[in-house]
Amino acid sequence: MALLVARLGLAAVFTAAVAAKLGDHTATRLSTVQFGVPDAIAAPLEWVLLACELAIAVSMIVAWTAATGALGALALLTGYSTAVIASLLRGRAPECHCFGRFSKAPVGWSTVARNGLLGAIAAYIALHGRGSVGFAAIGLLAAGTWTVLAARRSRGRSRGSLAPGFSVPDERGRSWTLEKLLAPRRPVVLVFSHSACGACRAMLPDVAGWQRSLQGRLTIAVLGGGSRLDSLATAASLDPGLDLDLDLDNYIFDESGDIARAYGVTATPSAVLIGRDGRIAASTARGSAEIADLVDDAIAIGDAPRIERRTALGIASLAALPIVGSACSSGKPAVARPKTLHIDGAYICDQKYALCTDAPCVTSTTDPSIVICDCVTKTGYSVGFKSCSEREPKGDSLHSNFSTQLVTSSTLVMTCPADAPWGNCLDVVCTVDPHDASKVQCQCVLVDTGPSLTFGGGCQTKTCTSTIWSAATSNLPGSTQLEKGMKQLGLSLTLPKSCPSS
């Protein structure tokens, strides 16, 4: 009897998974791509997996095929868990869609525990009910772990709790943080959208209308999930009545889904209301109707009395007195080198920046034209083709520029062949690692053609095809201007030598 219950239960689980995925087909395929599967094979792979799940469900019904089907289920669950663990170890958590729209939460260790529970049931069936006590113990342990981990992921997002912080660049390269959104001392509504969500597209014109009509009373920011390019295309295709400039000013790209996970948002469209004190002021709203009600609540909070502006100005004036006194008592400043130089179309700036001359990169899971490169933060003179004011550090946002600050006596320039792809990081926007300020991730442009020059690879040309390096074209753009500028500044500059030919 227990074996029959296990078979029917596993059949019900896999049948529900197939039906739910078919009902949310587009999002399921998008989830497959987010796990690192190339777009070209995502669709056929999805159909193969659906066919396997359906075959497993059918095999559970007939006693003489149940053991074989259970082995297939065990193999499939192992493969799914391996993919989830690999993503988590790389610091990524794509949405699961294991049960279509009913499980749009990002994967986590609770997903692995759930698969462990199903795997224990499948192994029990494959062994024709032998070892029931052992599998029952394993199943109970997996179920308990799943419950505890799932509950832990949902903590900290209740009303009155501090809203999780974040820092991401927008389309214009500026860094947006929760503190920046709260700076005007107005409530903030975070609207979570997704490029593959039809209901989100239908609601965006309403959001843009709220942004226009409630300026000065409420800050409404859209956090767009999915590909940045798809999100922009969605905004551009909307009704002409949408104020696109205003929308982009408040459109924050959450390509990795990290912000949505931090707020416990598992479906779109959803919205979270944050009070002026930086605490969550209401339960998460789901769907356009609830979001509209949430905006009404936010208006009421925003219209509540605040400290008089003159009082605030008085406090600010008192706080500024030590600064003013310091400035008045300081002596004559010492002669210093200029912070900026403009030479032959390039700008040399003395400020904090990202340096990617030997950075390894990986292809973005959401945009095949972008590579994510692991670079480092530096302070000093660097060259680029954006002005120094455009490249000025803002929050956790830096620009990647060229310098020789990482060059040592052992540094050599490696030439990669024309068929080796590489990342062009010059003047791109990067985000500082929140856990290590010396590290930064840059969204660089993938270039399919070469040849290219990189300071990475240690002259091992075989790495040109096994690794995507941050590199440059053969003329090292900006290097000539940097050499001239450093001469003007009276500073030395040493470019590394080329790798010895084989």
Side-chain angles (χ1 to χ4, degrees), residues 53-401:
E53 291 181 357
L54 183 59
I56 291 168
V58 172
S59 71
M60 291 296 108
I61 299 173
V62 183
W64 62 272
T65 60
T68 303
L71 288 174
L74 197 56
L76 203 60
L77 290 166
T78 302
Y80 287 160
S81 297
T82 301
V84 170
I85 292 171
S87 293
L88 294 174
L89 292 178
R90 291 198 301 267
R92 297 172 49 246
E95 288 187 347
C96 175
H97 286 279
C98 308
F99 294 91
R101 70 185 66 220
F102 301 108
S103 64
K104 292 180 66 175
V107 298
W109 294 108
S110 60
T111 311
V112 178
R114 182 193 64 198
N115 288 351
L117 170 61
L118 296 175
I121 296 172
Y124 171 69
I125 297 170
L127 293 174
H128 302 283
R130 292 190 294 272
S132 57
V133 175
F135 285 119
I138 295 172
L140 287 173
L141 177 62
T145 305
W146 176 23
T147 303
V148 170
L149 292 178
R152 184 177 296 175
R153 290 179 69 188
S154 64
R155 290 177 187 169
R157 295 182 294 271
S158 59
R159 183 172 180 174
S161 62
L162 281 173
F166 55 84
S167 176
V168 288
D170 69 357
E171 179 57 19
R172 295 187 173 94
R174 299 167 301 183
S175 180
W176 283 97
T177 63
L178 179 60
E179 291 74 16
K180 184 174 182 178
L181 292 174
L182 288 168
R185 301 293 297 162
R186 294 191 294 266
V188 172
V189 174
L190 301 179
V191 179
F192 292 87
S193 177
H194 198 285
S195 57
C197 167
C200 303
R201 289 193 294 271
M203 197 187 69
L204 279 180
D206 292 333
V207 175
W210 294 332
Q211 289 174 335
R212 287 194 300 268
S213 62
L214 298 176
Q215 271 187 302
R217 300 171 66 190
L218 184 65
T219 298
I220 300 177
V222 179
L223 287 101
S227 164
R228 177 184 293 248
L229 294 178
D230 288 347
S231 297
L232 280 174
T234 297
S237 65
L238 293 174
D239 185 85
L242 172 64
D243 186 337
L244 192 59
D245 287 337
L246 180 58
D247 184 63
L248 287 181
D249 276 341
N250 295 273
Y251 203 116
I252 300 170
F253 294 94
D254 185 26
E255 290 184 274
S256 64
D258 289 340
I259 304 175
R261 282 191 292 276
Y263 282 86
V265 171
T266 59
T268 53
S270 294
V272 175
L273 171 60
I274 303 171
R276 291 191 295 262
D277 58 356
R279 296 183 178 273
I280 294 177
S283 301
T284 301
R286 296 177 176 86
S288 57
E290 288 188 16
I291 292 174
D293 291 340
L294 187 74
V295 171
D296 289 338
D297 293 341
I299 295 171
I301 293 175
D303 289 340
R306 288 181 286 177
I307 298 175
E308 286 286 330
R309 179 172 295 186
R310 282 179 297 180
T311 303
L313 288 174
I315 295 172
S317 300
L318 289 173
L321 283 176
I323 301 173
V324 175
S326 175
C328 292
S329 61
S330 62
K332 186 178 179 180
V335 176
R337 294 186 177 96
K339 292 286 186 180
T340 64
L341 290 175
H342 187 194
I343 299 175
D344 298 338
Y347 295 87
I348 298 170
C349 315
D350 182 10
Q351 58 193 21
K352 192 175 181 180
Y353 66 101
L355 185 55
C356 303
T357 48
D358 60 357
C361 313
V362 295
T363 306
S364 169
T365 58
T366 57
D367 187 346
S369 67
I370 296 295
V371 289
I372 310 300
C373 301
D374 293 324
C375 308
V376 296
T377 58
K378 289 291 180 181
T379 300
Y381 286 103
S382 65
V383 67
F385 294 91
K386 287 184 179 180
S387 68
C388 296
S389 59
E390 290 179 287
R391 288 154 50 187
E392 185 179 353
K394 296 177 182 177
D396 291 334
S397 178
L398 296 177
H399 275 77
S400 169
N401 299 113

Side-chain angles (χ1 to χ4, degrees), residues 21 29 32 41 59 67 102 120 124 171 196 198 218 249 255 318 322 329 339 391 411 414 426 437-438 442 468 484 489:
K21 287 172 184 172
R29 186 169 64 250
T32 305
I41 65 173
S59 71
F102 301 108
Y124 171 69
E171 179 57 19
L218 184 65
D249 276 341
E255 290 184 274
L318 289 173
S329 61
K339 292 286 186 180
R391 288 154 50 187
T411 304
M414 180 172 70
L426 189 62
S438 67
C442 299
I468 300 176
K484 289 182 180 179
L489 295 166

